[in-house]
Amino acid sequence: MEIRIGENIKRLRKAKSVTQEQIAEVLGLSVTAVSKWERNETYPDITLLFPLAHYFGVTLDELMGYDEERVQAEISETLTYYRSLWLTEQSKAREVIVRAYRDYPNDYLVMHYYMWNLAGDMADNDTETLLAHKDEFLGICDKILSGCTEETVRLNAWNMKAKLLHAEGKTEEALGIYREKYPNWYDTRDQKKEQLFAKDTPEFGLYLKQNMYELACFATDKKIKEIWFCTECGLEDKVKKSLDLAEGLAEMRVHTGYEELLLSEYVVYSCLQGYLQRFGGKDADEKAILEKRWAVADACNKLAERDASVKAYFMKRYGCEILSRNA
């Protein structure tokens, strides 16, 4: 969060029609000190904040330039940018979320993303990394569980507690958390949203489609993981199998006219790009796959322009209504 006290003092001073000399005299300071505040070269001593606020007739929040709506907008913009980076520019993504955690340490979503970034995302976590950050992670989890009302964020705090137990060799306790805190596949919130509406209503169609997109992309992601982590073959064969999957989806899309299969194609290329970076693929392969990824992304964006359910799905999954070049 940017501190705007200097420009606020200047604005309030001019609104009150007083000079820097007059403020300096009231506070028993030099004119140079006031001038440096207004040029954002220094900040007032903390003991001067109440006298300044009283002098101008404003609250401390107003003096400091704190605006809840503006701060929430900044947080939202920062997290959207972070989510756009985490798949393909991980070092830059970490810089963004570490800075956000420093600036907004009490925001639950910022805590959530910061913790899982340090943990290396939500799957395939390194035990040593989890244990090295155990106290910090548990502190964040306790803050979230004691104050956050967003169920997804709360569940992922329990998820981290389970992972830490597993890292300590307490796997049965970890599994117990999942049994106690998490619903089964059929009792998820999105499934229940769909069932809230009669099947001949537009609302039912909207939620049904979003669930269908999510499940299709989820299944595609699982298939890519199976190719890369559960098959005994070299990197080139894994790349070929992944591309075969994308091409098969494209052929099915053309044959059936189901344009929403583009979303699954995009998942293939996104995952493939990340795995090539992770496992050291050829630069030429990375470039070719990136080009295919963006060609599919452009087609997805055109589909979103025609279909509100696709746009809603993008907002839910990626935090934006269209796929950007950094998504």
Side-chain angles (χ1 to χ4, degrees):
M1 180 178 65
E2 184 180 357
I3 297 176
R4 301 173 181 270
I5 189 168
E7 62 188 69
N8 283 337
I9 289 173
K10 184 176 182 178
R11 174 177 55 79
L12 292 166
R13 176 178 64 78
K14 289 186 174 181
K16 198 174 177 71
S17 298
V18 297
T19 64
Q20 291 181 347
E21 288 81 1
Q22 288 173 297
I23 293 178
E25 184 178 352
V26 168
L27 297 175
L29 300 170
S30 68
V31 177
T32 302
V34 178
S35 178
K36 285 184 176 181
W37 296 345
E38 293 189 2
R39 295 199 304 270
N40 289 317
E41 294 178 5
T42 60
Y43 297 134
D45 186 272
I46 192 170
T47 60
L48 297 174
L49 296 182
F50 280 105
L52 277 166
H54 178 72
Y55 179 77
F56 289 121
V58 297
T59 66
L60 277 177
D61 281 350
E62 290 174 296
L63 180 67
M64 297 290 289
Y66 182 86
D67 181 305
E68 180 66 24
E69 288 187 7
R70 178 177 60 79
V71 170
Q72 289 304 316
E74 288 176 0
I75 292 173
S76 179
E77 183 179 346
T78 298
L79 293 181
T80 297
Y81 182 51
Y82 167 74
R83 287 190 291 263
S84 75
L85 294 171
W86 76 268
L87 260 182
T88 57
E89 299 184 62
Q90 294 177 0
S91 61
K92 190 172 182 179
R94 175 158 297 186
E95 291 176 9
V96 169
I97 201 61
V98 168
R99 185 167 60 250
Y101 186 60
R102 180 198 65 201
D103 292 343
Y104 313 105
N106 295 315
D107 184 86
Y108 296 120
L109 264 182
V110 171
M111 292 182 204
H112 162 84
Y113 282 114
Y114 168 79
M115 176 173 69
W116 287 103
N117 184 283
L118 290 190
D121 203 15
M122 294 185 182
D124 202 22
N125 304 98
D126 177 66
T127 298
E128 292 183 6
T129 299
L130 290 176
L131 294 178
H133 293 280
K134 175 185 173 183
D135 291 340
E136 182 180 18
F137 289 170
L138 286 176
I140 290 173
C141 289
D142 289 341
K143 286 181 182 178
I144 289 172
L145 292 171
S146 66
C148 181
T149 58
E150 173 57 49
E151 190 62 19
T152 300
V153 179
R154 290 176 58 81
L155 284 174
N156 276 307
W158 284 114
N159 189 18
M160 176 56 74
K161 282 179 173 278
K163 285 179 176 289
L164 290 168
L165 286 169
H166 178 59
E168 293 177 314
K170 302 174 183 177
T171 302
E172 279 306 311
E173 290 183 49
L175 292 172
I177 286 179
Y178 295 129
R179 286 192 294 268
E180 179 183 347
K181 301 296 181 182
Y182 284 77
N184 61 40
W185 291 102
Y186 299 99
D187 291 324
T188 60
R189 64 181 183 186
D190 292 321
Q191 173 73 353
K192 293 307 174 185
K193 284 180 188 176
E194 177 187 321
Q195 294 173 352
L196 181 64
F197 302 99
K199 290 184 172 62
D200 58 352
T201 62
E203 292 86 357
F204 173 79
L206 180 65
Y207 285 110
L208 172 68
K209 287 181 179 180
Q210 288 185 67
N211 286 341
M212 179 176 66
Y213 304 152
E214 186 158 23
L215 289 170
C217 291
F218 187 81
T220 302
D221 178 77
K222 293 300 182 188
K223 187 61 184 178
I224 287 290
K225 283 185 172 67
E226 180 192 31
I227 291 171
W228 281 84
F229 298 102
C230 303
T231 56
E232 297 293 333
C233 60
L235 187 142
E236 289 187 7
D237 284 338
K238 290 177 180 179
V239 171
K240 183 180 183 304
K241 287 177 181 290
S242 301
L243 291 174
D244 286 346
L245 175 59
E247 290 169 8
L249 288 166
E251 290 175 5
M252 188 187 305
R253 171 171 52 84
V254 172
H255 179 70
T256 62
Y258 296 149
E259 291 185 278
E260 60 268 21
L261 287 168
L262 281 163
L263 307 178
S264 293
E265 290 177 54
Y266 181 75
V267 170
V268 175
Y269 291 121
S270 296
C271 292
L272 187 50
Q273 183 184 359
Y275 290 149
L276 283 175
Q277 291 176 348
R278 177 175 177 178
F279 295 110
K282 298 176 182 177
D283 290 343
D285 286 342
E286 284 192 45
K287 183 178 179 181
I289 287 163
L290 182 61
E291 289 176 355
K292 290 183 178 180
R293 178 185 178 189
W294 290 128
V296 173
D298 289 341
C300 286
N301 289 336
K302 291 178 182 177
L303 178 59
E305 291 175 3
R306 301 190 301 272
D307 191 330
S309 66
V310 175
K311 186 176 291 186
Y313 172 70
F314 285 164
M315 180 58 71
K316 177 182 175 183
R317 181 180 173 99
Y318 300 108
C320 53
E321 291 185 344
I322 62 171
L323 299 174
S324 70
R325 291 277 160 169
N326 291 318

